Amino acid sequence: MNLLVTGGAGYVGSVCATVLLERGHHVVVVDDVSTGNREAVPEGAVFVEADAGQAADEILSGGCSGGAFEGVLHFAARSLVGESVTDPDLYWHGNVVTTLSILEAMRRHSVPRLVFSSTAATYGEPATVPITEDCPTQPTNPYGASKLAIDHAITSYCHAYGLGATSLRYFNVAGAYRSAGENRVVETHLIPLILQVAMGFRDSISVFGSDWETRDGTAVRDYIHVLDLAEAHLLALDASQPGRHGIYNLGSGEGFTVREVIEACRRVTGRPIPAKDAPRRLGDPAVLVASSDRAITELGWSPKHTAIDKIVSDAWEFTQQLGDRAHAARSS
Ligand SMILES: NC(=O)c1ccc[n+]([C@@H]2O[C@H](COP(=O)([O-])OP(=O)(O)OC[C@H]3O[C@@H](n4cnc5c(N)ncnc54)[C@H](O)[C@@H]3O)[C@@H](O)[C@H]2O)c1
Ligand SMILES: O=c1ccn([C@@H]2O[C@H](COP(=O)(O)OP(=O)(O)O[C@H]3O[C@H](CO)[C@H](O)[C@H](O)[C@H]3O)[C@@H](O)[C@H]2O)c(=O)[nH]1
């Protein structure tokens, strides 16, 4: 298929673009490199450096590919919970307004399929876990609220204009694939930060909150391997039907506390990794664990890399590659 990937210079978008290219799709990436980086765009993709909302109309008119687009995979977004509390304008404008422009451009150029990166943050603090797609959506931060607003907009575009769309509500994505992994301009995510401590780039990892009502007092998250996530995007493209908006949770179904993740990183790296307690982070829920049964039964999704040590060890391999690249750049 001829596909537009927004946010393909970022973590999840670059891994998915890599897998799409490997499966023979034609890929155009649009990214403004606000949090991603140019080197992450996989070889073989056409790269347009621009704001996705502003560039979508021109790209989807066929200018970059010489042909009609058959789908959009929309990863581009601001996605930091804490930042969304302090700077909500970045989220309402950067996420919602950008996506509305993309939806309009898709409608104008009759692009039939959309796969959207939604999030566990749309649910807020769940009353029960694991979280199913029927649980109430009550986001606890502007990031989750912006993604939920987009999900609502997509539903109405599907019903009114015949778009076929899938919102994939990822839980916590981690791991790496080939030369693609987490390498943001400013890193705030738990696993890459812990691995930076293991590399000696940071002194210690801060544990945000040790007084949550969980088994060791630290927050619980459900980690999904980025390659399993990429497979779900391929399945979603195939399953797309005009007029239908499918919403699917994607996680491994198992929750790990922050301390358990740090322990897994110590096991995999063999390094001590000092940790220190710190206050809770604004907007964080205590526990997020997915039920992915709907994706498994309806999309035929079958996650393969669910063990936390496998996820951490792929992320570790990537972090070491980054360290080697930085070393080579300094010595040249
Ligand atoms: N990483 C996770 O654990 C996780 C979990 C749930 C949902 N998500 C969602 O998955 C998507 C990808 O997340 P990620 O972790 O790869 O983030 P990321 O920050 O690594 O990648 C986002 C990319 O989008 C680009 N971008 C942002 N706004 C843009 C705009 N207006 N126009 C063009 N490019 C723009 C950035 O430069 C970056 O390359 C996001 O939509 C995020 O909300 C991520
Ligand atoms: O230095 C750190 C960084 C994080 N954490 C904690 O580790 C957990 C995971 O934090 P991340 O920042 O890695 O991930 P989030 O759970 O905040 O958010 C991620 O997953 C969400 C869905 O679960 C969103 O979709 C979002 O895009 C994505 O960044 C949280 O309890 C956080 O407070 C720490 O203790 N110390």
Side-chain angles (χ1 to χ4, degrees):
M1 282 190 233
N2 196 16
L3 300 169
L4 175 62
V5 172
T6 75
Y11 168 46
V12 181
S14 64
V15 171
C16 288
T18 302
V19 174
L20 289 166
L21 288 161
E22 283 174 359
R23 306 287 167 92
H25 296 287
H26 181 270
V27 173
V28 176
V29 166
V30 60
D31 198 301
D32 64 3
V33 295
S34 51
T35 60
N37 55 76
R38 289 169 198 89
E39 302 73 49
V41 177
E43 211 172 300
V46 176
F47 179 40
V48 180
E49 186 172 326
D51 175 83
Q54 287 170 14
D57 190 60
E58 192 184 336
I59 297 172
L60 294 178
S61 70
C64 289
S65 68
F69 279 85
E70 293 157 281
V72 174
L73 294 101
H74 180 31
F75 300 96
R78 309 296 295 220
S79 62
L80 304 179
V81 168
E83 180 187 67
S84 79
V85 178
T86 50
D87 296 308
D89 57 317
L90 295 175
Y91 287 75
W92 291 109
H93 194 275
N95 290 356
V96 178
V97 176
T98 298
T99 307
L100 293 178
S101 302
I102 293 169
L103 283 171
E104 266 310 291
M106 291 181 71
R107 183 179 162 211
R108 198 167 307 122
H109 300 292
S110 306
V111 181
R113 294 175 193 82
L114 172 70
V115 183
F116 171 61
S117 305
S118 188
T119 167
T122 53
Y123 295 108
E125 194 74 65
T128 53
V129 286
I131 302 171
T132 66
E133 293 81 354
D134 299 322
C135 285
T137 41
Q138 293 165 337
T140 53
N141 52 64
Y143 164 60
S146 73
K147 290 281 184 169
L148 183 61
I150 295 168
D151 277 342
H152 288 314
I154 292 173
T155 303
S156 57
Y157 268 66
C158 290
H159 293 167
Y161 308 129
L163 176 70
T166 308
S167 288
L168 298 177
R169 290 190 173 157
Y170 322 158
F171 282 59
N172 287 58
V173 191
Y177 179 59
R178 297 191 189 280
S179 58
E182 288 186 86
N183 181 21
R184 301 183 183 87
V185 177
V186 178
E187 191 52 78
T188 65
H189 289 82
L190 182 64
I191 291 179
L193 283 180
I194 300 173
L195 296 177
Q196 287 181 15
V197 179
M199 288 291 284
F201 299 155
R202 288 172 186 266
D203 294 337
S204 63
I205 183 76
S206 296
V207 176
F208 295 148
S210 45
D211 54 353
W212 299 102
E213 282 186 30
T214 60
R215 51 186 174 265
D216 64 14
T218 67
V220 172
R221 294 290 182 274
D222 177 340
Y223 294 86
I224 167 177
H225 197 292
V226 68
L227 190 54
D228 285 330
L229 191 66
E231 290 295 342
H233 286 74
L234 289 156
L235 293 166
L237 276 177
D238 287 346
S240 175
Q241 288 170 25
R244 179 168 186 272
H245 183 199
I247 297 182
Y248 300 96
N249 290 345
L250 295 176
S252 68
E254 197 179 351
F256 292 91
T257 68
V258 172
R259 289 202 206 289
E260 286 165 353
V261 174
I262 296 170
E263 211 39 62
C265 292
R266 289 181 180 136
R267 237 178 359 252
V268 167
T269 63
R271 312 255 167 113
I273 312 183
K276 57 174 194 230
D277 288 350
R280 290 182 180 188
R281 191 171 62 179
L282 286 176
D284 266 351
V287 179
L288 291 174
V289 178
S291 160
S292 308
D293 290 354
R294 188 186 281 180
I296 291 165
T297 51
E298 290 186 16
L299 293 178
W301 186 58
S302 159
K304 298 196 169 51
H305 312 285
T306 51
I308 190 74
D309 284 24
K310 165 69 178 159
I311 292 173
V312 169
S313 97
D314 286 357
W316 177 229
E317 199 174 306
F318 175 77
T319 308
Q320 289 174 299
Q321 279 177 32
L322 276 185
D324 291 346
R325 274 187 244 161
H327 181 72
R330 274 197 305 276
S331 341
S332 65

